[in-house]
Amino acid sequence: MSRQLVLDLPLRTALGRDDFLVTPSNAAAVAMIDRYPDWPHHGVVLVGDGGSGKTHLLEVWRQASGARLVSAAALGRETPDRLLETGALAIDNAPGDALDERALFHLLNLTRETGGHVLIASASDPAQWAVTLPDLASRLKALAVARLDPPDDALLRGVLVKHFADRQIGVEEPVISYLMLRMPRSLDAARAIVAELDALALAEKTPVTRSLAARVLQRMTEPGLFPEE
């Protein structure tokens, strides 16, 4: 059967609290988010590898709190009071390549003074950031840290099923089990594999089977496809 061109259409991915899969690998972090607004020192650092669910959980909290979302790299571009206009701020990709330490220090101070809340997402513990401003290091040390551990089997399986469901793809259980045994242990990998399976199935006008999954895994697990976190 000849291959057909496939339109690259964007997908709408649900980001509500009910769509976030909770397993032992992320339960502690979810519990901390659910404690809002009862956070110590009005701030939390959400730590996890790429694809661990940080962006999803950040969005869950943003919807619950009305927080604005900014990248850590943009902190110095606006005044702290402007950033905290809604009383809550979500900061992604901290510390970034060039963190404005004074901007973050003043932001954390204003958060405590005004009773606001800040959620900071990072791939590393704040104690590992190359912070040179002692006062900022002290403020960061006081913040609670919520960690997202590497995905366990339950989470990885659930994410595979969810991504297939988001794309309205019916998949038999043996296909899920086949993928679980052979794919990289990463939520990013799960997302990419489902997307590739969807594209190939559409192009060849065939269901998603173990045979199709084997072809995709062979193609996608070559060295260098999934960069190290």
PDB file of all heavy atoms in Angstrom, residues 33 36 39-46 58 61 65 67-68 70 75 83-84 87-92 104 107-112 115-121 140 143-144:
ATOM      1  N   ILE A  33       1.110  20.413  45.745  1.00  0.00           N
ATOM      2  CA  ILE A  33       0.343  21.344  44.924  1.00  0.00           C
ATOM      3  C   ILE A  33      -1.079  21.463  45.467  1.00  0.00           C
ATOM      4  O   ILE A  33      -1.653  22.553  45.526  1.00  0.00           O
ATOM      5  CB  ILE A  33       0.322  20.879  43.456  1.00  0.00           C
ATOM      6  CG1 ILE A  33       1.739  20.847  42.878  1.00  0.00           C
ATOM      7  CG2 ILE A  33      -0.572  21.781  42.610  1.00  0.00           C
ATOM      8  CD1 ILE A  33       2.471  22.165  42.920  1.00  0.00           C
ATOM      9  N   TYR A  36      -1.983  23.992  48.305  1.00  0.00           N
ATOM     10  CA  TYR A  36      -2.133  25.426  48.042  1.00  0.00           C
ATOM     11  C   TYR A  36      -3.504  25.900  48.529  1.00  0.00           C
ATOM     12  O   TYR A  36      -4.513  25.232  48.305  1.00  0.00           O
ATOM     13  CB  TYR A  36      -1.986  25.689  46.540  1.00  0.00           C
ATOM     14  CG  TYR A  36      -2.403  27.086  46.117  1.00  0.00           C
ATOM     15  CD1 TYR A  36      -1.543  28.157  46.286  1.00  0.00           C
ATOM     16  CD2 TYR A  36      -3.679  27.323  45.592  1.00  0.00           C
ATOM     17  CE1 TYR A  36      -1.931  29.432  45.924  1.00  0.00           C
ATOM     18  CE2 TYR A  36      -4.068  28.595  45.231  1.00  0.00           C
ATOM     19  CZ  TYR A  36      -3.190  29.642  45.398  1.00  0.00           C
ATOM     20  OH  TYR A  36      -3.576  30.907  45.049  1.00  0.00           O
ATOM     21  N   TRP A  39       1.102  26.927  51.877  1.00  0.00           N
ATOM     22  CA  TRP A  39       2.490  26.609  51.587  1.00  0.00           C
ATOM     23  C   TRP A  39       3.413  27.345  52.561  1.00  0.00           C
ATOM     24  O   TRP A  39       3.211  28.536  52.836  1.00  0.00           O
ATOM     25  CB  TRP A  39       2.863  27.068  50.177  1.00  0.00           C
ATOM     26  CG  TRP A  39       2.319  26.228  49.078  1.00  0.00           C
ATOM     27  CD1 TRP A  39       1.646  25.052  49.196  1.00  0.00           C
ATOM     28  CD2 TRP A  39       2.420  26.511  47.683  1.00  0.00           C
ATOM     29  NE1 TRP A  39       1.314  24.583  47.954  1.00  0.00           N
ATOM     30  CE2 TRP A  39       1.776  25.450  47.008  1.00  0.00           C
ATOM     31  CE3 TRP A  39       2.987  27.542  46.939  1.00  0.00           C
ATOM     32  CZ2 TRP A  39       1.686  25.404  45.621  1.00  0.00           C
ATOM     33  CZ3 TRP A  39       2.900  27.504  45.571  1.00  0.00           C
ATOM     34  CH2 TRP A  39       2.258  26.443  44.910  1.00  0.00           C
ATOM     35  N   PRO A  40       4.434  26.660  53.067  1.00  0.00           N
ATOM     36  CA  PRO A  40       5.409  27.352  53.911  1.00  0.00           C
ATOM     37  C   PRO A  40       6.187  28.384  53.106  1.00  0.00           C
ATOM     38  O   PRO A  40       6.618  28.112  51.983  1.00  0.00           O
ATOM     39  CB  PRO A  40       6.324  26.216  54.403  1.00  0.00           C
ATOM     40  CG  PRO A  40       6.163  25.135  53.380  1.00  0.00           C
ATOM     41  CD  PRO A  40       4.750  25.233  52.883  1.00  0.00           C
ATOM     42  N   HIS A  41       6.332  29.565  53.666  1.00  0.00           N
ATOM     43  CA  HIS A  41       7.088  30.656  53.034  1.00  0.00           C
ATOM     44  C   HIS A  41       6.522  31.054  51.668  1.00  0.00           C
ATOM     45  O   HIS A  41       7.216  31.668  50.859  1.00  0.00           O
ATOM     46  CB  HIS A  41       8.574  30.278  52.901  1.00  0.00           C
ATOM     47  CG  HIS A  41       9.209  29.907  54.207  1.00  0.00           C
ATOM     48  ND1 HIS A  41       9.543  30.850  55.160  1.00  0.00           N
ATOM     49  CD2 HIS A  41       9.545  28.693  54.725  1.00  0.00           C
ATOM     50  CE1 HIS A  41      10.081  30.233  56.217  1.00  0.00           C
ATOM     51  NE2 HIS A  41      10.083  28.933  55.972  1.00  0.00           N
ATOM     52  N   HIS A  42       5.269  30.668  51.394  1.00  0.00           N
ATOM     53  CA  HIS A  42       4.544  31.133  50.210  1.00  0.00           C
ATOM     54  C   HIS A  42       5.150  30.698  48.880  1.00  0.00           C
ATOM     55  O   HIS A  42       4.837  31.274  47.849  1.00  0.00           O
ATOM     56  CB  HIS A  42       4.410  32.668  50.225  1.00  0.00           C
ATOM     57  CG  HIS A  42       3.700  33.181  51.428  1.00  0.00           C
ATOM     58  ND1 HIS A  42       2.331  33.316  51.484  1.00  0.00           N
ATOM     59  CD2 HIS A  42       4.162  33.574  52.641  1.00  0.00           C
ATOM     60  CE1 HIS A  42       1.977  33.782  52.665  1.00  0.00           C
ATOM     61  NE2 HIS A  42       3.067  33.945  53.396  1.00  0.00           N
ATOM     62  N   GLY A  43       6.025  29.699  48.905  1.00  0.00           N
ATOM     63  CA  GLY A  43       6.634  29.276  47.647  1.00  0.00           C
ATOM     64  C   GLY A  43       7.034  27.811  47.654  1.00  0.00           C
ATOM     65  O   GLY A  43       7.325  27.237  48.701  1.00  0.00           O
ATOM     66  N   VAL A  44       7.044  27.220  46.468  1.00  0.00           N
ATOM     67  CA  VAL A  44       7.437  25.819  46.302  1.00  0.00           C
ATOM     68  C   VAL A  44       8.294  25.711  45.042  1.00  0.00           C
ATOM     69  O   VAL A  44       8.021  26.373  44.035  1.00  0.00           O
ATOM     70  CB  VAL A  44       6.198  24.898  46.165  1.00  0.00           C
ATOM     71  CG1 VAL A  44       6.606  23.492  45.714  1.00  0.00           C
ATOM     72  CG2 VAL A  44       5.428  24.821  47.484  1.00  0.00           C
ATOM     73  N   VAL A  45       9.325  24.870  45.101  1.00  0.00           N
ATOM     74  CA  VAL A  45      10.131  24.554  43.915  1.00  0.00           C
ATOM     75  C   VAL A  45       9.761  23.142  43.481  1.00  0.00           C
ATOM     76  O   VAL A  45       9.901  22.187  44.246  1.00  0.00           O
ATOM     77  CB  VAL A  45      11.638  24.650  44.201  1.00  0.00           C
ATOM     78  CG1 VAL A  45      12.433  24.341  42.933  1.00  0.00           C
ATOM     79  CG2 VAL A  45      12.001  26.034  44.726  1.00  0.00           C
ATOM     80  N   LEU A  46       9.267  23.027  42.264  1.00  0.00           N
ATOM     81  CA  LEU A  46       8.862  21.742  41.692  1.00  0.00           C
ATOM     82  C   LEU A  46      10.029  21.198  40.870  1.00  0.00           C
ATOM     83  O   LEU A  46      10.405  21.795  39.859  1.00  0.00           O
ATOM     84  CB  LEU A  46       7.629  21.943  40.821  1.00  0.00           C
ATOM     85  CG  LEU A  46       6.998  20.713  40.170  1.00  0.00           C
ATOM     86  CD1 LEU A  46       6.504  19.737  41.236  1.00  0.00           C
ATOM     87  CD2 LEU A  46       5.848  21.133  39.272  1.00  0.00           C
ATOM     88  N   LEU A  58       2.445  22.347  36.656  1.00  0.00           N
ATOM     89  CA  LEU A  58       2.517  23.806  36.728  1.00  0.00           C
ATOM     90  C   LEU A  58       1.221  24.421  36.199  1.00  0.00           C
ATOM     91  O   LEU A  58       0.696  25.373  36.776  1.00  0.00           O
ATOM     92  CB  LEU A  58       3.715  24.288  35.903  1.00  0.00           C
ATOM     93  CG  LEU A  58       4.335  25.644  36.255  1.00  0.00           C
ATOM     94  CD1 LEU A  58       4.986  25.590  37.616  1.00  0.00           C
ATOM     95  CD2 LEU A  58       5.384  26.025  35.202  1.00  0.00           C
ATOM     96  N   TRP A  61      -1.688  23.971  38.645  1.00  0.00           N
ATOM     97  CA  TRP A  61      -1.663  24.977  39.709  1.00  0.00           C
ATOM     98  C   TRP A  61      -2.019  26.359  39.176  1.00  0.00           C
ATOM     99  O   TRP A  61      -2.720  27.128  39.841  1.00  0.00           O
ATOM    100  CB  TRP A  61      -0.281  25.029  40.368  1.00  0.00           C
ATOM    101  CG  TRP A  61      -0.218  26.061  41.453  1.00  0.00           C
ATOM    102  CD1 TRP A  61      -0.784  25.972  42.692  1.00  0.00           C
ATOM    103  CD2 TRP A  61       0.401  27.343  41.385  1.00  0.00           C
ATOM    104  NE1 TRP A  61      -0.545  27.130  43.398  1.00  0.00           N
ATOM    105  CE2 TRP A  61       0.180  27.988  42.620  1.00  0.00           C
ATOM    106  CE3 TRP A  61       1.129  28.010  40.400  1.00  0.00           C
ATOM    107  CZ2 TRP A  61       0.654  29.264  42.896  1.00  0.00           C
ATOM    108  CZ3 TRP A  61       1.610  29.277  40.673  1.00  0.00           C
ATOM    109  CH2 TRP A  61       1.376  29.899  41.908  1.00  0.00           C
ATOM    110  N   SER A  65      -4.882  28.717  40.773  1.00  0.00           N
ATOM    111  CA  SER A  65      -4.478  29.927  41.493  1.00  0.00           C
ATOM    112  C   SER A  65      -4.691  31.218  40.713  1.00  0.00           C
ATOM    113  O   SER A  65      -4.629  32.305  41.286  1.00  0.00           O
ATOM    114  CB  SER A  65      -2.991  29.830  41.870  1.00  0.00           C
ATOM    115  OG  SER A  65      -2.189  29.789  40.692  1.00  0.00           O
ATOM    116  N   ALA A  67      -2.557  32.108  38.513  1.00  0.00           N
ATOM    117  CA  ALA A  67      -1.193  32.622  38.384  1.00  0.00           C
ATOM    118  C   ALA A  67      -0.848  32.937  36.937  1.00  0.00           C
ATOM    119  O   ALA A  67      -1.350  32.322  36.007  1.00  0.00           O
ATOM    120  CB  ALA A  67      -0.193  31.599  38.934  1.00  0.00           C
ATOM    121  N   ARG A  68       0.035  33.879  36.796  1.00  0.00           N
ATOM    122  CA  ARG A  68       0.636  34.156  35.506  1.00  0.00           C
ATOM    123  C   ARG A  68       1.820  33.211  35.326  1.00  0.00           C
ATOM    124  O   ARG A  68       2.453  32.801  36.304  1.00  0.00           O
ATOM    125  CB  ARG A  68       1.112  35.612  35.469  1.00  0.00           C
ATOM    126  CG  ARG A  68       1.793  36.017  34.172  1.00  0.00           C
ATOM    127  CD  ARG A  68       2.217  37.470  34.237  1.00  0.00           C
ATOM    128  NE  ARG A  68       3.016  37.833  33.082  1.00  0.00           N
ATOM    129  CZ  ARG A  68       3.618  39.014  32.949  1.00  0.00           C
ATOM    130  NH1 ARG A  68       3.478  39.940  33.886  1.00  0.00           N
ATOM    131  NH2 ARG A  68       4.336  39.288  31.871  1.00  0.00           N
ATOM    132  N   VAL A  70       5.577  32.648  33.593  1.00  0.00           N
ATOM    133  CA  VAL A  70       6.711  33.279  32.929  1.00  0.00           C
ATOM    134  C   VAL A  70       7.900  32.326  32.967  1.00  0.00           C
ATOM    135  O   VAL A  70       7.977  31.434  33.816  1.00  0.00           O
ATOM    136  CB  VAL A  70       7.118  34.614  33.581  1.00  0.00           C
ATOM    137  CG1 VAL A  70       5.986  35.628  33.507  1.00  0.00           C
ATOM    138  CG2 VAL A  70       7.576  34.405  35.021  1.00  0.00           C
ATOM    139  N   LEU A  75      12.458  37.054  34.159  1.00  0.00           N
ATOM    140  CA  LEU A  75      12.143  37.647  35.460  1.00  0.00           C
ATOM    141  C   LEU A  75      12.557  39.111  35.573  1.00  0.00           C
ATOM    142  O   LEU A  75      11.886  39.900  36.218  1.00  0.00           O
ATOM    143  CB  LEU A  75      12.808  36.841  36.582  1.00  0.00           C
ATOM    144  CG  LEU A  75      12.160  35.495  36.906  1.00  0.00           C
ATOM    145  CD1 LEU A  75      12.935  34.776  38.004  1.00  0.00           C
ATOM    146  CD2 LEU A  75      10.708  35.703  37.347  1.00  0.00           C
ATOM    147  N   LEU A  83       4.670  41.410  38.052  1.00  0.00           N
ATOM    148  CA  LEU A  83       4.629  39.961  37.911  1.00  0.00           C
ATOM    149  C   LEU A  83       3.635  39.328  38.877  1.00  0.00           C
ATOM    150  O   LEU A  83       3.032  38.296  38.570  1.00  0.00           O
ATOM    151  CB  LEU A  83       6.021  39.367  38.141  1.00  0.00           C
ATOM    152  CG  LEU A  83       7.079  39.669  37.067  1.00  0.00           C
ATOM    153  CD1 LEU A  83       8.451  39.205  37.533  1.00  0.00           C
ATOM    154  CD2 LEU A  83       6.711  39.000  35.747  1.00  0.00           C
ATOM    155  N   LEU A  84       3.463  39.960  40.036  1.00  0.00           N
ATOM    156  CA  LEU A  84       2.578  39.403  41.066  1.00  0.00           C
ATOM    157  C   LEU A  84       1.210  40.085  41.101  1.00  0.00           C
ATOM    158  O   LEU A  84       0.541  40.074  42.130  1.00  0.00           O
ATOM    159  CB  LEU A  84       3.235  39.515  42.442  1.00  0.00           C
ATOM    160  CG  LEU A  84       4.237  38.420  42.810  1.00  0.00           C
ATOM    161  CD1 LEU A  84       4.956  38.778  44.101  1.00  0.00           C
ATOM    162  CD2 LEU A  84       3.536  37.074  42.953  1.00  0.00           C
ATOM    163  N   GLY A  87      -1.370  37.956  42.426  1.00  0.00           N
ATOM    164  CA  GLY A  87      -1.074  37.364  43.724  1.00  0.00           C
ATOM    165  C   GLY A  87      -0.401  36.004  43.629  1.00  0.00           C
ATOM    166  O   GLY A  87      -0.089  35.393  44.653  1.00  0.00           O
ATOM    167  N   ALA A  88      -0.207  35.517  42.404  1.00  0.00           N
ATOM    168  CA  ALA A  88       0.433  34.209  42.222  1.00  0.00           C
ATOM    169  C   ALA A  88       1.231  34.227  40.928  1.00  0.00           C
ATOM    170  O   ALA A  88       0.827  34.849  39.951  1.00  0.00           O
ATOM    171  CB  ALA A  88      -0.606  33.094  42.190  1.00  0.00           C
ATOM    172  N   LEU A  89       2.371  33.513  40.949  1.00  0.00           N
ATOM    173  CA  LEU A  89       3.226  33.492  39.766  1.00  0.00           C
ATOM    174  C   LEU A  89       3.822  32.098  39.599  1.00  0.00           C
ATOM    175  O   LEU A  89       4.340  31.513  40.546  1.00  0.00           O
ATOM    176  CB  LEU A  89       4.354  34.515  39.894  1.00  0.00           C
ATOM    177  CG  LEU A  89       5.308  34.621  38.692  1.00  0.00           C
ATOM    178  CD1 LEU A  89       4.570  35.186  37.473  1.00  0.00           C
ATOM    179  CD2 LEU A  89       6.517  35.478  39.022  1.00  0.00           C
ATOM    180  N   ALA A  90       3.746  31.567  38.381  1.00  0.00           N
ATOM    181  CA  ALA A  90       4.377  30.297  38.030  1.00  0.00           C
ATOM    182  C   ALA A  90       5.618  30.599  37.195  1.00  0.00           C
ATOM    183  O   ALA A  90       5.533  31.310  36.197  1.00  0.00           O
ATOM    184  CB  ALA A  90       3.412  29.410  37.249  1.00  0.00           C
ATOM    185  N   ILE A  91       6.753  30.064  37.601  1.00  0.00           N
ATOM    186  CA  ILE A  91       8.018  30.310  36.924  1.00  0.00           C
ATOM    187  C   ILE A  91       8.528  28.984  36.360  1.00  0.00           C
ATOM    188  O   ILE A  91       8.730  28.020  37.110  1.00  0.00           O
ATOM    189  CB  ILE A  91       9.064  30.908  37.876  1.00  0.00           C
ATOM    190  CG1 ILE A  91       8.548  32.212  38.489  1.00  0.00           C
ATOM    191  CG2 ILE A  91      10.388  31.141  37.151  1.00  0.00           C
ATOM    192  CD1 ILE A  91       9.439  32.766  39.587  1.00  0.00           C
ATOM    193  N   ASP A  92       8.752  28.932  35.058  1.00  0.00           N
ATOM    194  CA  ASP A  92       9.195  27.696  34.415  1.00  0.00           C
ATOM    195  C   ASP A  92      10.673  27.794  34.027  1.00  0.00           C
ATOM    196  O   ASP A  92      11.232  28.884  33.905  1.00  0.00           O
ATOM    197  CB  ASP A  92       8.349  27.432  33.173  1.00  0.00           C
ATOM    198  CG  ASP A  92       8.357  25.968  32.769  1.00  0.00           C
ATOM    199  OD1 ASP A  92       8.979  25.151  33.484  1.00  0.00           O
ATOM    200  OD2 ASP A  92       7.727  25.630  31.749  1.00  0.00           O
ATOM    201  N   LEU A 104      14.799  37.811  41.167  1.00  0.00           N
ATOM    202  CA  LEU A 104      14.147  36.713  41.872  1.00  0.00           C
ATOM    203  C   LEU A 104      14.123  36.959  43.377  1.00  0.00           C
ATOM    204  O   LEU A 104      13.121  36.668  44.046  1.00  0.00           O
ATOM    205  CB  LEU A 104      14.865  35.393  41.570  1.00  0.00           C
ATOM    206  CG  LEU A 104      14.263  34.143  42.233  1.00  0.00           C
ATOM    207  CD1 LEU A 104      12.789  33.983  41.881  1.00  0.00           C
ATOM    208  CD2 LEU A 104      15.051  32.904  41.837  1.00  0.00           C
ATOM    209  N   LEU A 107      11.448  39.426  44.094  1.00  0.00           N
ATOM    210  CA  LEU A 107      10.157  38.798  43.850  1.00  0.00           C
ATOM    211  C   LEU A 107       9.758  37.919  45.032  1.00  0.00           C
ATOM    212  O   LEU A 107       8.605  37.971  45.497  1.00  0.00           O
ATOM    213  CB  LEU A 107      10.226  37.964  42.570  1.00  0.00           C
ATOM    214  CG  LEU A 107       8.964  37.173  42.222  1.00  0.00           C
ATOM    215  CD1 LEU A 107       7.823  38.112  41.866  1.00  0.00           C
ATOM    216  CD2 LEU A 107       9.233  36.203  41.085  1.00  0.00           C
ATOM    217  N   LEU A 108      10.692  37.136  45.539  1.00  0.00           N
ATOM    218  CA  LEU A 108      10.385  36.279  46.684  1.00  0.00           C
ATOM    219  C   LEU A 108      10.079  37.104  47.930  1.00  0.00           C
ATOM    220  O   LEU A 108       9.199  36.749  48.725  1.00  0.00           O
ATOM    221  CB  LEU A 108      11.551  35.315  46.944  1.00  0.00           C
ATOM    222  CG  LEU A 108      11.800  34.260  45.860  1.00  0.00           C
ATOM    223  CD1 LEU A 108      13.020  33.420  46.205  1.00  0.00           C
ATOM    224  CD2 LEU A 108      10.576  33.370  45.682  1.00  0.00           C
ATOM    225  N   ASN A 109      10.795  38.205  48.105  1.00  0.00           N
ATOM    226  CA  ASN A 109      10.503  39.092  49.236  1.00  0.00           C
ATOM    227  C   ASN A 109       9.099  39.667  49.140  1.00  0.00           C
ATOM    228  O   ASN A 109       8.336  39.685  50.124  1.00  0.00           O
ATOM    229  CB  ASN A 109      11.521  40.238  49.289  1.00  0.00           C
ATOM    230  CG  ASN A 109      12.821  39.820  49.935  1.00  0.00           C
ATOM    231  OD1 ASN A 109      12.904  38.768  50.571  1.00  0.00           O
ATOM    232  ND2 ASN A 109      13.844  40.638  49.787  1.00  0.00           N
ATOM    233  N   LEU A 110       8.738  40.150  47.955  1.00  0.00           N
ATOM    234  CA  LEU A 110       7.414  40.737  47.771  1.00  0.00           C
ATOM    235  C   LEU A 110       6.321  39.685  47.946  1.00  0.00           C
ATOM    236  O   LEU A 110       5.248  39.983  48.489  1.00  0.00           O
ATOM    237  CB  LEU A 110       7.322  41.370  46.384  1.00  0.00           C
ATOM    238  CG  LEU A 110       6.014  42.104  46.073  1.00  0.00           C
ATOM    239  CD1 LEU A 110       5.823  43.283  47.023  1.00  0.00           C
ATOM    240  CD2 LEU A 110       6.006  42.589  44.621  1.00  0.00           C
ATOM    241  N   THR A 111       6.604  38.479  47.522  1.00  0.00           N
ATOM    242  CA  THR A 111       5.629  37.394  47.683  1.00  0.00           C
ATOM    243  C   THR A 111       5.293  37.195  49.156  1.00  0.00           C
ATOM    244  O   THR A 111       4.121  37.082  49.536  1.00  0.00           O
ATOM    245  CB  THR A 111       6.178  36.083  47.087  1.00  0.00           C
ATOM    246  OG1 THR A 111       6.445  36.276  45.698  1.00  0.00           O
ATOM    247  CG2 THR A 111       5.177  34.956  47.251  1.00  0.00           C
ATOM    248  N   ARG A 112       6.314  37.166  50.000  1.00  0.00           N
ATOM    249  CA  ARG A 112       6.084  36.980  51.442  1.00  0.00           C
ATOM    250  C   ARG A 112       5.401  38.192  52.048  1.00  0.00           C
ATOM    251  O   ARG A 112       4.510  38.057  52.888  1.00  0.00           O
ATOM    252  CB  ARG A 112       7.415  36.704  52.134  1.00  0.00           C
ATOM    253  CG  ARG A 112       8.076  35.403  51.695  1.00  0.00           C
ATOM    254  CD  ARG A 112       9.374  35.145  52.434  1.00  0.00           C
ATOM    255  NE  ARG A 112       9.180  34.972  53.871  1.00  0.00           N
ATOM    256  CZ  ARG A 112      10.165  34.679  54.715  1.00  0.00           C
ATOM    257  NH1 ARG A 112      11.408  34.542  54.265  1.00  0.00           N
ATOM    258  NH2 ARG A 112       9.925  34.517  55.995  1.00  0.00           N
ATOM    259  N   GLY A 115       1.691  38.205  50.895  1.00  0.00           N
ATOM    260  CA  GLY A 115       0.911  36.990  51.057  1.00  0.00           C
ATOM    261  C   GLY A 115       0.636  36.282  49.749  1.00  0.00           C
ATOM    262  O   GLY A 115      -0.327  35.513  49.641  1.00  0.00           O
ATOM    263  N   GLY A 116       1.486  36.529  48.740  1.00  0.00           N
ATOM    264  CA  GLY A 116       1.315  35.878  47.447  1.00  0.00           C
ATOM    265  C   GLY A 116       1.910  34.484  47.435  1.00  0.00           C
ATOM    266  O   GLY A 116       2.325  33.956  48.476  1.00  0.00           O
ATOM    267  N   HIS A 117       1.947  33.884  46.266  1.00  0.00           N
ATOM    268  CA  HIS A 117       2.480  32.523  46.129  1.00  0.00           C
ATOM    269  C   HIS A 117       3.257  32.397  44.822  1.00  0.00           C
ATOM    270  O   HIS A 117       2.852  32.943  43.796  1.00  0.00           O
ATOM    271  CB  HIS A 117       1.355  31.489  46.161  1.00  0.00           C
ATOM    272  CG  HIS A 117       0.655  31.416  47.482  1.00  0.00           C
ATOM    273  ND1 HIS A 117      -0.356  32.286  47.836  1.00  0.00           N
ATOM    274  CD2 HIS A 117       0.847  30.592  48.553  1.00  0.00           C
ATOM    275  CE1 HIS A 117      -0.765  32.002  49.061  1.00  0.00           C
ATOM    276  NE2 HIS A 117      -0.059  30.977  49.507  1.00  0.00           N
ATOM    277  N   VAL A 118       4.363  31.648  44.888  1.00  0.00           N
ATOM    278  CA  VAL A 118       5.198  31.411  43.718  1.00  0.00           C
ATOM    279  C   VAL A 118       5.487  29.927  43.604  1.00  0.00           C
ATOM    280  O   VAL A 118       5.872  29.278  44.592  1.00  0.00           O
ATOM    281  CB  VAL A 118       6.525  32.198  43.803  1.00  0.00           C
ATOM    282  CG1 VAL A 118       7.464  31.786  42.682  1.00  0.00           C
ATOM    283  CG2 VAL A 118       6.266  33.696  43.730  1.00  0.00           C
ATOM    284  N   LEU A 119       5.296  29.378  42.406  1.00  0.00           N
ATOM    285  CA  LEU A 119       5.675  27.993  42.124  1.00  0.00           C
ATOM    286  C   LEU A 119       6.760  28.023  41.051  1.00  0.00           C
ATOM    287  O   LEU A 119       6.555  28.581  39.970  1.00  0.00           O
ATOM    288  CB  LEU A 119       4.473  27.185  41.626  1.00  0.00           C
ATOM    289  CG  LEU A 119       4.755  25.717  41.270  1.00  0.00           C
ATOM    290  CD1 LEU A 119       5.265  24.942  42.482  1.00  0.00           C
ATOM    291  CD2 LEU A 119       3.501  25.046  40.698  1.00  0.00           C
ATOM    292  N   ILE A 120       7.914  27.455  41.363  1.00  0.00           N
ATOM    293  CA  ILE A 120       9.066  27.477  40.465  1.00  0.00           C
ATOM    294  C   ILE A 120       9.353  26.061  39.978  1.00  0.00           C
ATOM    295  O   ILE A 120       9.538  25.146  40.790  1.00  0.00           O
ATOM    296  CB  ILE A 120      10.311  28.032  41.179  1.00  0.00           C
ATOM    297  CG1 ILE A 120      10.021  29.413  41.779  1.00  0.00           C
ATOM    298  CG2 ILE A 120      11.495  28.096  40.221  1.00  0.00           C
ATOM    299  CD1 ILE A 120      11.144  29.941  42.666  1.00  0.00           C
ATOM    300  N   ALA A 121       9.384  25.865  38.667  1.00  0.00           N
ATOM    301  CA  ALA A 121       9.679  24.550  38.091  1.00  0.00           C
ATOM    302  C   ALA A 121      11.134  24.505  37.632  1.00  0.00           C
ATOM    303  O   ALA A 121      11.616  25.423  36.972  1.00  0.00           O
ATOM    304  CB  ALA A 121       8.755  24.261  36.911  1.00  0.00           C
ATOM    305  N   LEU A 140      15.882  30.798  48.845  1.00  0.00           N
ATOM    306  CA  LEU A 140      15.615  29.551  48.136  1.00  0.00           C
ATOM    307  C   LEU A 140      15.688  28.356  49.085  1.00  0.00           C
ATOM    308  O   LEU A 140      14.909  27.404  48.966  1.00  0.00           O
ATOM    309  CB  LEU A 140      16.616  29.366  46.995  1.00  0.00           C
ATOM    310  CG  LEU A 140      16.462  30.317  45.801  1.00  0.00           C
ATOM    311  CD1 LEU A 140      17.639  30.164  44.848  1.00  0.00           C
ATOM    312  CD2 LEU A 140      15.154  30.075  45.073  1.00  0.00           C
ATOM    313  N   LEU A 143      12.428  27.591  50.839  1.00  0.00           N
ATOM    314  CA  LEU A 143      11.266  27.130  50.079  1.00  0.00           C
ATOM    315  C   LEU A 143      11.121  25.611  50.148  1.00  0.00           C
ATOM    316  O   LEU A 143      12.105  24.877  50.179  1.00  0.00           O
ATOM    317  CB  LEU A 143      11.389  27.550  48.613  1.00  0.00           C
ATOM    318  CG  LEU A 143      11.414  29.052  48.315  1.00  0.00           C
ATOM    319  CD1 LEU A 143      11.502  29.279  46.805  1.00  0.00           C
ATOM    320  CD2 LEU A 143      10.190  29.745  48.896  1.00  0.00           C
ATOM    321  N   ALA A 144       9.878  25.156  50.155  1.00  0.00           N
ATOM    322  CA  ALA A 144       9.621  23.719  50.108  1.00  0.00           C
ATOM    323  C   ALA A 144       9.975  23.197  48.716  1.00  0.00           C
ATOM    324  O   ALA A 144       9.825  23.907  47.722  1.00  0.00           O
ATOM    325  CB  ALA A 144       8.147  23.446  50.415  1.00  0.00           C
TER     326      ALA A 144
END
